[in-house]
Amino acid sequence: MKHEAAVSSAKEIADRVLAPAARENDKEGRFSSEAIKALGPAGLFGIMLPADVGGSALGPRTFAAIVSALAEADASVAMVYLMHVCATATIAAARNGAAVATTLQEIAAGRHLSTLAFSEAGSRSHFWAPVSRARRNAAGVHISAKKSFVTSAGQADSYVVSALSPQSTGPTDSTLYLIARGTRGLSIAGAWDGLGLRANASAPMTLEDCEVSPESQLTDDGAGFQAMLQVVLPLFNLGSAAVALGICRAAVAGTATHLKSARFEHLGQSLGESLPTLRAQIATMQIDTDGLAARIDDLIDHLERPRDTTVLRVLESKAAAGDVAIAVTSAAMRACGGAAFAKHMAIERLFRDAHAGAVMAPTGDVLREFIGKAVLGMPLF
Ligand SMILES: Cc1cc2nc3c(=O)[nH]c(=O)nc-3n(C[C@H](O)[C@H](O)[C@H](O)COP(=O)(O)OP(=O)(O)OC[C@H]3O[C@@H](n4cnc5c(N)ncnc54)[C@H](O)[C@@H]3O)c2cc1C
């Protein structure tokens, strides 16, 4: 599949499957299995996988365009997809000897959804420092862990899980493992009832003495941290920025529709015709949204042609995108007034969904801490 076909397929699914169900799924906190059933068979699960396992070998440009198209219709589904692509990239980058070929083929065939289970109750948003530790015996390792938020919890076919290595000496000496759905000891540890992204099943999960074979160990002992930074972080930050962009585009479109259709009958004008202040607000929203799109294009260029400034761009993009999404959706709430507040339109869902980006790790605050250190030439960890 080529870039254009992948993006137009994502848009078609967003219009046909995601948009009509987004409001109800948000209200009920319901995971969209329909979205997964549409995205997988359309060939979108393996877009970045190599052709030899059935993937489309496409790059970050296609990934970002798909994510923003999905987020425009339903940010919860976009986040599920983003986590799946990050997990898939980690599985594809597995060390020699890991038995992942079948999983990758299943992903490319659209039959396998994966996700990341990094954050732990003990180390909270510091996902790079798991407090759980794997214990090794002759059969492999055993892991007990309290994972605090796992997108697609209970819905995914596999989980990319972090834990400290059996012989770890420092807080970042982690290892990544692939744990299949149904593994003994793996369970959902609570409900997901978030403020936003309510339809993405980000529940806590418990691992109780889960046995993992050596073939399901994705990285060498202690190499999990490098995989998190080199494989996951660039894609996750790009994808998070793309989710924010989709949310912003939907907020601009929803606000424009409202300002054109809602009327002051006593004045014989629409809101937009009547009030310059509303026109100024939607103009600022448009400027910020297009600015975010340009920032994402710049990040993609840096990922396609890595250079000295790439790490900084990776860090900046998610921090900036979180702020822009909150600002644009806040402006939309204000411009659409009581109609938005009374939930007559999708704006309030976008406003709630927009707030997830800034608190998902690496959080906007943590990114600022890293960026500040990088600018001052200090080590990040
Ligand atoms: C919708 C959703 C989906 C998620 N999905 C996943 C998933 O699929 N997989 C996964 O592994 N995790 C997932 N998470 C977890 C997420 O990545 C974070 O770990 C989690 O949101 C952190 O919340 P906390 O209360 O533990 O934050 P805390 O760590 O308690 O942070 C509290 C505050 O302190 C700030 N802070 C923390 N450290 C620093 C620092 N060093 N410098 C400056 N400020 C700092 C934070 O920015 C925040 O404002 C998800 C979270 C959400 C909300």
Side-chain angles (χ1 to χ4, degrees):
M1 187 162 31
K2 296 268 188 289
H3 171 89
E4 288 74 19
V7 178
S8 75
S9 175
K11 284 185 175 152
E12 188 274 323
I13 292 169
D15 289 345
R16 179 173 52 84
V17 182
L18 274 55
R23 185 187 174 102
E24 202 54 26
N25 286 343
D26 168 68
K27 197 170 159 196
E28 302 298 329
R30 181 182 169 277
F31 185 89
S32 179
S33 311
E34 296 76 16
I36 300 312
K37 281 185 196 130
L39 293 166
L44 299 179
F45 275 10
I47 48 149
M48 295 185 78
L49 286 177
D52 60 4
V53 293
S56 301
L58 291 162
R61 190 171 297 279
T62 311
F63 165 62
I66 291 173
V67 170
S68 62
L70 298 179
E72 228 173 306
D74 186 343
S76 286
V77 174
M79 186 56 71
V80 166
Y81 181 76
L82 149 59
M83 286 297 184
H84 165 80
V85 172
C86 289
T88 296
T90 315
I91 300 167
R95 64 178 185 161
N96 286 340
V100 293
T102 308
T103 303
L104 294 175
Q105 284 158 7
E106 286 292 294
I107 289 172
R111 291 189 290 262
H112 185 114
L113 181 74
S114 194
T115 192
L116 301 174
F118 288 173
S119 303
E120 297 196 352
S123 49
R124 308 189 67 90
S125 60
H126 298 188
F127 66 87
W128 56 87
V131 295
S132 62
R133 182 195 297 270
R135 289 180 298 107
R136 180 161 279 125
N137 66 12
V141 299
H142 286 246
I143 304 174
S144 294
K146 286 186 185 349
K147 297 293 177 181
S148 48
F149 298 79
V150 182
T151 297
S152 309
Q155 305 288 339
D157 299 291
S158 66
Y159 301 85
V160 173
V161 171
S162 57
L164 284 174
S165 308
Q167 309 298 332
S168 64
T169 54
T172 59
D173 288 349
S174 64
T175 305
L176 301 184
Y177 304 90
L178 185 64
I179 300 194
R181 174 211 285 271
T183 297
R184 196 152 54 84
L186 184 68
S187 62
I188 312 284
W192 171 240
D193 184 16
L195 174 77
L197 295 189
R198 291 179 47 75
N200 78 348
S202 293
M205 290 190 79
T206 302
L207 286 79
E208 224 172 300
D209 212 24
C210 286
E211 187 176 297
V212 188
S213 70
E215 295 75 37
S216 296
Q217 180 171 332
L218 297 175
T219 67
D220 286 334
D221 279 1
F225 180 63
Q226 286 311 318
M228 286 176 181
L229 294 194
Q230 288 166 9
V231 180
V232 178
L233 189 68
L235 272 183
F236 180 72
N237 280 13
L238 171 62
S240 296
V243 171
L245 179 61
I247 290 173
C248 289
R249 285 179 170 157
V252 172
T255 303
T257 300
H258 186 68
L259 298 192
K260 285 195 280 187
S261 60
R263 297 186 68 76
F264 289 124
E265 286 183 18
H266 60 299
L267 301 176
Q269 288 181 318
S270 68
L271 295 187
E273 286 164 341
S274 183
L275 294 171
T277 177
L278 297 182
R279 296 197 290 274
Q281 282 175 38
I282 200 167
T284 303
M285 290 165 61
Q286 182 70 48
I287 293 165
D288 288 349
T289 301
D290 286 342
L292 177 56
R295 184 184 282 285
I296 289 173
D297 279 345
D298 173 64
L299 173 59
I300 291 167
D301 186 60
H302 274 77
L303 294 177
E304 287 173 346
R305 295 181 299 119
R307 42 206 191 265
D308 288 353
T309 42
T310 300
V311 171
L312 211 45
R313 293 297 201 280
V314 167
L315 300 175
E316 291 166 2
S317 59
K318 180 175 179 293
D323 292 349
V324 171
I326 289 173
V328 168
T329 55
S330 301
M333 286 296 292
R334 186 173 160 202
C336 297
F341 195 82
K343 304 187 181 179
H344 294 169
M345 50 206 302
I347 299 292
E348 61 84 29
R349 170 168 55 84
L350 300 171
F351 174 78
R352 289 185 283 103
D353 287 351
H355 281 73
V359 300
M360 289 183 75
T363 70
D365 300 311
V366 166
L367 288 164
R368 278 183 177 72
E369 175 68 356
F370 288 162
I371 293 163
K373 283 181 173 171
V375 171
L376 297 178
M378 296 164 63
L380 299 197
F381 290 92

